[in-house]
């Protein structure tokens, strides 16, 4: 039907519409941010691990002080 | 060819490789933008919806199967985004003054003739316009469009026939440009 119908043939001849280069650049940048996970600095990871361990140690110490044997 | 491209793009996207996105964007952005401009009649809205559609691809692409029909998926996302936009309070009114949609073409006469089609398309109701855009302009397979619009192939054929008749009626109603009249063109 698409090949023979003159109305659909006229529609198929319509031009495509290129998006503006600025829009394309914006979309590409945003898509890359979503696709590629942001790298976390190793020192930041170390800081988070240290703070969690410190909190656990403090919590253990605090809890043991509440119930002295 | 398109299936191969879709497969390559989706395989890369599943690895979160931006080259997969580039492949998909290069292949479908212009077509999708044209579809959205004609569907909405507003360039700014078409830009927003294009961005929404491709960002959705960046988010969901890694979960899509490599043998998915990427083109149909993109058009479905774009269409649904427009329908949501229409439903929302931000955009309740259908465009009344469509922009000039044809891109600059070296052949001025052909541009004028295509301009008639653009005007007639813009004057149609949304259900007629979208079916003509998907089948006539984008040349998507009837089964794909039926799935996309969530209707049966028989209903699609009926709706396509009606939309085609309405487009013809609009084309007959559209005043011919002065340049055509002067040259005795239809």
């Amino acid at each position: 039907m698409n090949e023979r119908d003159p109305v659909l043939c006229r529609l198929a001849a319509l031009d495509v519409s290129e998006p503006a280069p600025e829009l394309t650049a914006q979309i590409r940048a945003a898509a890359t941010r979503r696709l590629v996970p942001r790298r976390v600095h190793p020192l930041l990871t170390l800081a988070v691990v240290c703070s969690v361990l410190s909190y656990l140690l403090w919590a253990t110490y605090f809890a043991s002080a509440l119930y002295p044997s | 060819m398109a299936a191969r491209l879709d497969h390559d793009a989706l395989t890369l996207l599943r690895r979160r490789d931006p080259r997969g996105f580039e492949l998909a964007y290069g292949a479908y952005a212009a077509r999708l933008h044209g579809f959205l401009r004609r569907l909405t009649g507003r360039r700014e809205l078409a830009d927003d919806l294009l961005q929404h559609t491709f960002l959705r691809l960046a988010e969901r692409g890694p979960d899509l199967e490599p043998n998915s029909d990427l083109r149909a998926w993109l058009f479905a996302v774009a269409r649904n985004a427009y329908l949501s936009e229409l439903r929302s309070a931000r955009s309740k009114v259908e465009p009344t003054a469509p922009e000039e949609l044809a891109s600059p073409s070296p052949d001025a006469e052909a541009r004028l003739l295509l301009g008639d089609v653009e005007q007639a398309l813009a004057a149609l109701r949304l259900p007629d316009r979208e079916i003509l855009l998907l089948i006539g302009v984008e040349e998507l397979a009837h089964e794909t469009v039926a799935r996309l619009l969530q209707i049966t192939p028989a209903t699609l054929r009926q709706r396509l026939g009606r939309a085609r008749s309405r487009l013809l009626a609009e084309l007959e109603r559209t005043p011919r440009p002065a340049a055509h009249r002067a040259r005795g063109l239809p």
Side-chain angles (χ1 to χ4, degrees):
Chain A
M1 188 168 179
N2 286 20
E3 289 82 23
R4 292 178 190 168
D5 189 317
V7 177
L8 297 188
C9 284
R10 261 180 102 177
L11 289 173
L14 292 176
D15 291 337
V16 294
S17 163
E18 291 287 345
E22 304 81 40
L23 177 67
T24 293
Q26 196 181 329
I27 293 175
R28 282 183 167 144
T32 305
R33 278 198 302 275
R34 278 168 172 74
L35 276 171
V36 182
R38 190 178 294 173
R39 287 191 171 192
V40 179
H41 196 281
L43 279 180
L44 185 64
T45 312
L46 193 66
V48 170
V49 169
C50 286
S51 64
V52 168
L53 284 177
S54 308
Y55 171 74
L56 287 174
L57 281 172
W58 172 82
T60 309
Y61 172 76
F62 184 80
S64 62
L66 283 178
Y67 306 103
S69 53
Chain B
M1 181 89 179
R4 176 81 196 163
L5 187 141
D6 287 4
H7 186 272
D8 291 350
L10 288 170
T11 304
L12 288 167
L13 275 170
R14 283 173 71 83
R15 288 188 235 136
R16 307 193 77 86
D17 187 334
R19 286 176 301 171
F21 182 85
E22 288 297 323
L23 263 181
Y25 192 85
Y28 299 125
R31 298 225 66 93
L32 208 52
H33 194 248
F35 168 73
L36 287 167
R37 281 190 70 182
R38 293 184 176 106
L39 190 70
T40 64
R42 287 154 58 187
R43 188 182 182 103
E44 296 78 22
L45 183 55
D47 287 353
D48 288 348
L49 295 174
L50 184 80
Q51 181 161 19
H52 170 91
T53 304
F54 275 102
L55 292 188
R56 183 61 64 90
L57 175 67
E59 287 162 5
R60 300 278 173 83
D63 301 324
L64 291 176
E65 290 297 324
N67 55 358
S68 305
D69 185 343
L70 180 57
R71 185 163 71 136
W73 187 87
L74 287 169
F75 277 94
V77 171
R79 173 183 177 266
N80 291 339
Y82 179 51
L83 294 183
S84 300
E85 185 69 25
L86 279 182
R87 278 193 293 267
S88 76
R90 280 176 290 164
S91 174
K92 284 183 179 169
V93 185
E94 282 241 9
T96 51
E99 301 169 58
E100 186 193 343
L101 294 167
S103 304
S105 150
D107 185 348
E109 197 168 277
R111 194 171 65 209
L112 283 172
L113 285 167
L114 291 176
D116 288 354
V117 181
E118 300 276 14
Q119 281 182 25
L121 259 179
L124 295 178
R125 288 169 55 246
L126 177 63
D128 292 336
R129 197 160 66 239
E130 68 178 0
I131 209 162
L132 288 171
L133 287 174
L134 291 168
I135 290 179
V137 182
E138 300 308 326
E139 300 182 276
L140 289 175
H142 286 207
E143 302 76 39
T144 307
V145 177
R147 266 202 314 276
L148 201 151
L149 300 179
Q150 297 175 329
I151 55 178
T152 64
T155 309
L156 178 81
R157 278 193 295 277
Q158 284 176 359
R159 280 183 52 183
L160 177 61
R162 282 199 296 267
R164 187 187 171 284
S165 305
R166 287 183 188 129
L167 180 69
L168 273 178
E170 276 302 327
L171 278 169
E172 283 165 11
R173 201 180 308 163
T174 308
R176 289 175 303 159
H180 284 204
R181 287 194 298 274
R183 293 176 187 194
L185 290 169

